Amino acid sequence: MASPKITQPIDDQLGTSNSTVTMSATSTTPSSPPKDQQEQTPQSLIHRSPLPSHQKSVLLALCQVPPGSFTTYGILATHLKSSPRAVGNALRRNPFAPTVPCHRVVATGNTLGGFKGKIGSRDGEGCMTLVEKRMLLKKEGVRFDARGRVLGTPFRGFV
């Protein structure tokens, strides 16, 4: 259904009406999108998801790792009182990647570890998913040494 039109005279500088403008009768003020279409934070997506509580805990903690930083499966596991393998399994099933940045978690020793269910020590460091993980980290400013290890100190500032 078309919105009704309003025709309104426009006064010139002398106060005489010599032009008209036609406007839509609908509101011109911006309105908020419906709640289901509003921009959602990664944390709100995680909280409302049907994921198991352990996976939610892993993903919520991961949201604290800033771009350009990284942490390890072991550090994340220690913070959550979990195990590195359980953390890796939760990340492998991350439905919110890359918004919830599982690529920021590397193995102890700063090797890439795994990504999307592929593991460097098993599938080779050159497998495409690990190439993608390295590219995502480099794009955020993370640097690597000649052997492919992440340079720097892992993030430990979890709250």
Side-chain angles (χ1 to χ4, degrees), residues 40-47 51 55-67 69 71 76 79-80 91 94 96-105 140 155 157-159:
Q40 301 171 354
T41 65
Q43 293 85 346
S44 68
L45 289 171
I46 295 165
H47 282 297
L51 298 172
Q55 188 174 14
K56 285 182 179 183
S57 297
V58 170
L59 297 177
L60 288 167
L62 180 57
C63 289
Q64 297 178 48
V65 180
S69 298
T71 193
L76 196 51
H79 168 70
L80 296 169
L91 295 177
N94 177 4
F96 308 115
T99 303
V100 177
C102 51
H103 62 276
R104 294 185 190 149
V105 182
E140 292 182 347
F155 176 85
F158 297 104
V159 291

Side-chain angles (χ1 to χ4, degrees), residues 29-138:
T29 55
S31 61
S32 298
K35 279 200 179 252
D36 61 337
Q37 294 177 4
Q38 288 180 359
E39 189 172 326
Q40 301 171 354
T41 65
Q43 293 85 346
S44 68
L45 289 171
I46 295 165
H47 282 297
R48 287 197 313 265
S49 73
L51 298 172
S53 61
H54 178 264
Q55 188 174 14
K56 285 182 179 183
S57 297
V58 170
L59 297 177
L60 288 167
L62 180 57
C63 289
Q64 297 178 48
V65 180
S69 298
F70 66 94
T71 193
T72 69
Y73 297 100
I75 292 169
L76 196 51
T78 299
H79 168 70
L80 296 169
K81 297 175 178 53
S82 182
S83 73
R85 186 174 300 247
V87 167
N89 283 330
L91 295 177
R92 180 177 61 158
R93 295 177 179 90
N94 177 4
F96 308 115
T99 303
V100 177
C102 51
H103 62 276
R104 294 185 190 149
V105 182
V106 301
T108 301
N110 294 3
T111 60
L112 286 180
F115 192 57
K116 295 183 176 179
K118 302 291 184 188
I119 301 170
S121 60
R122 180 190 70 208
D123 301 311
E125 289 292 321
C127 94
M128 282 311 294
T129 59
L130 294 178
V131 170
E132 180 183 358
K133 182 175 185 173
R134 184 185 322 276
M135 185 225 26
L136 288 167
L137 289 167
K138 280 184 173 182

Side-chain angles (χ1 to χ4, degrees), residues 6-21:
I6 300 173
T7 302
Q8 181 175 352
I10 298 176
D11 294 334
D12 63 10
Q13 291 178 344
L14 298 174
T16 58
S17 297
N18 61 358
S19 301
T20 58
V21 66

